[in-house]
Amino acid sequence: MSGGLPFAGIATFLGWPASPGTVPPAEADGRVLVAIGAPYDEGTPYRPGSRFGPASLRQASMRLRFASADGLHFFDLERRREVVLADLAWDVGDVEIRPADQAASFAAIEAAVGAARAAGAIPVLLGGDNSVTLPSLRGLGAPGAVVVQFDAHLDYGESYFGSPDGNSTPLRRSRREGLCSQVLQLGIRGYDNAAASLADSEADGNVVVTAAGCRRGEALRAIEALPPGTPAYVSVDIDVVDPAVAPGTGYPEPGGLDYPLLRSLLLAVGARCDLLGCELVEVSPPHDANEVTALLGTQLLLDLLGAATPPGPKEEVR
Ligand SMILES: [Mn+2]
């Protein structure tokens, strides 16, 4: 890379080496991460723009080149320790989206996530709107995994304007396709969540915690109720964060989480679970202000991926 300067060179996620389209065979055992862009936002019936998310997240993530030469080793001052994201990481670029052909676009996302998984790597999916969750979980192929979803929205509708494949339905689809064993839905709020979606989710055995509930400690308790080592896929819809903090998104909902609270929950998930894959969705650069949402999005992934590092002796997590 170009001397570690964030504004120079070719932007990849956290400066990880590019390997367009393929995951190179691992030379040794260890944790391997693979960033995959899914520039797809045709699942949104409201404000599009998250198709520009992967490029924005990559560019914003380059800021962290100052902190880490290889994009894998960071010093976490609050935890007073070095965190190591992985032994190795690649950015395989973006999947080939075919405009106006959802089936082909979903198949491409599924194949890319599946290829990362088959290579023994942890896919880190950069969305894209929330509809990409469904093909991602299909590609992951881990029906025993718990999905830990941070979102303002349940995304548990049966269909939206007649379509079952939009960004308001993927968690229900995933659960009922048997792509996961349970969903923890954390940070939920706002009038867009229908009573039927809530009832269906809870009837399916999922756990729903509102944003206010997160502030009362209910989300942390739900995470800590998972058996240690639970296989998990973590889905972060950036709209779980308050829109005053993360304005660049398609469905802003007032009353969201602040960054310190969300960080503490991501650290808890990372410490508790066996992370099989993760995604950061709904960052919409056309609605962003001064790149703050993309910068936050990259930091959330860094927090999550660094959380599996065992806690240090002086660790204090709020
Ligand atoms: Mn949402």
Side-chain angles (χ1 to χ4, degrees):
M1 300 300 294
S2 300
L5 291 171
F7 48 84
I10 299 168
T12 60
F13 189 67
L14 292 176
W16 296 346
S19 177
T22 54
V23 183
E27 288 152 20
D29 288 344
R31 194 187 207 208
V32 180
L33 301 174
V34 173
I36 303 165
Y40 180 86
D41 65 8
E42 294 174 41
T44 178
Y46 185 37
R47 308 198 304 188
S50 62
R51 67 182 61 186
F52 302 107
S56 177
L57 289 164
R58 285 193 181 95
Q59 190 61 55
S61 78
M62 293 294 280
R63 177 184 69 107
L64 292 158
R65 297 284 293 158
F66 280 137
S68 174
D70 63 1
L72 294 174
H73 296 75
F74 294 86
F75 178 65
D76 187 335
L77 181 142
E78 289 180 63
R79 299 166 78 190
R80 290 179 177 271
R81 59 162 301 129
E82 186 188 45
V83 294
V84 184
L85 307 194
D87 299 290
L88 203 60
W90 304 97
D91 187 333
V92 295
D94 292 338
V95 303
E96 282 190 38
I97 295 304
R98 202 170 295 172
D101 187 342
Q102 184 168 52
S105 299
F106 273 21
I109 295 166
E110 179 180 344
V113 172
R117 199 54 183 140
I122 296 172
V124 179
L125 192 69
L126 312 174
D129 72 41
N130 218 145
S131 67
V132 304
T133 305
L134 180 63
S136 180
L137 287 171
R138 285 174 178 158
L140 195 72
V146 167
V147 173
V148 183
Q149 174 203 7
F150 295 92
D151 201 325
H153 309 103
L154 294 162
D155 296 339
Y156 221 80
E158 188 165 13
S159 67
Y160 206 58
F161 290 89
S163 169
D165 284 323
N167 68 350
S168 304
T169 57
L171 277 303
R172 179 197 184 99
R173 297 286 308 279
S174 299
R175 185 78 166 85
R176 297 199 173 180
E177 272 189 28
L179 302 177
C180 58
S181 61
Q182 190 186 37
V183 189
L184 303 190
Q185 306 198 277
L186 312 177
I188 309 299
R189 64 191 189 276
Y191 295 105
D192 281 331
N193 292 291
S197 294
L198 176 62
D200 288 351
S201 179
E202 291 184 331
D204 285 351
N206 301 319
V207 175
V208 177
V209 179
T210 63
C214 291
R215 288 187 278 271
R216 291 191 298 264
E218 293 167 19
L220 185 61
R221 284 196 287 280
I223 291 163
E224 290 180 342
L226 295 170
T230 295
Y233 180 87
V234 177
S235 172
V236 180
D237 180 334
I238 197 71
D239 70 25
V240 73
V241 181
D242 193 83
V245 177
T249 192
Y251 281 81
E253 298 281 0
L257 275 51
D258 64 10
Y259 168 65
L261 175 55
L262 182 51
R263 168 178 153 90
S264 70
L265 296 175
L266 291 169
L267 292 179
V269 173
R272 190 82 186 167
C273 297
D274 175 18
L275 185 71
L276 303 186
C278 61
E279 65 183 19
L280 192 284
V281 298
E282 297 284 351
V283 170
S284 179
H287 301 101
D288 207 357
N290 297 325
E291 234 184 335
V292 293
T293 309
L295 289 164
L296 176 64
T298 60
Q299 186 141 333
L300 294 173
L301 286 172
L302 176 55
D303 287 337
L304 173 67
L305 296 172
T309 305
K314 294 178 181 176
E315 178 168 5
E316 275 181 44
V317 178
R318 184 186 124 174

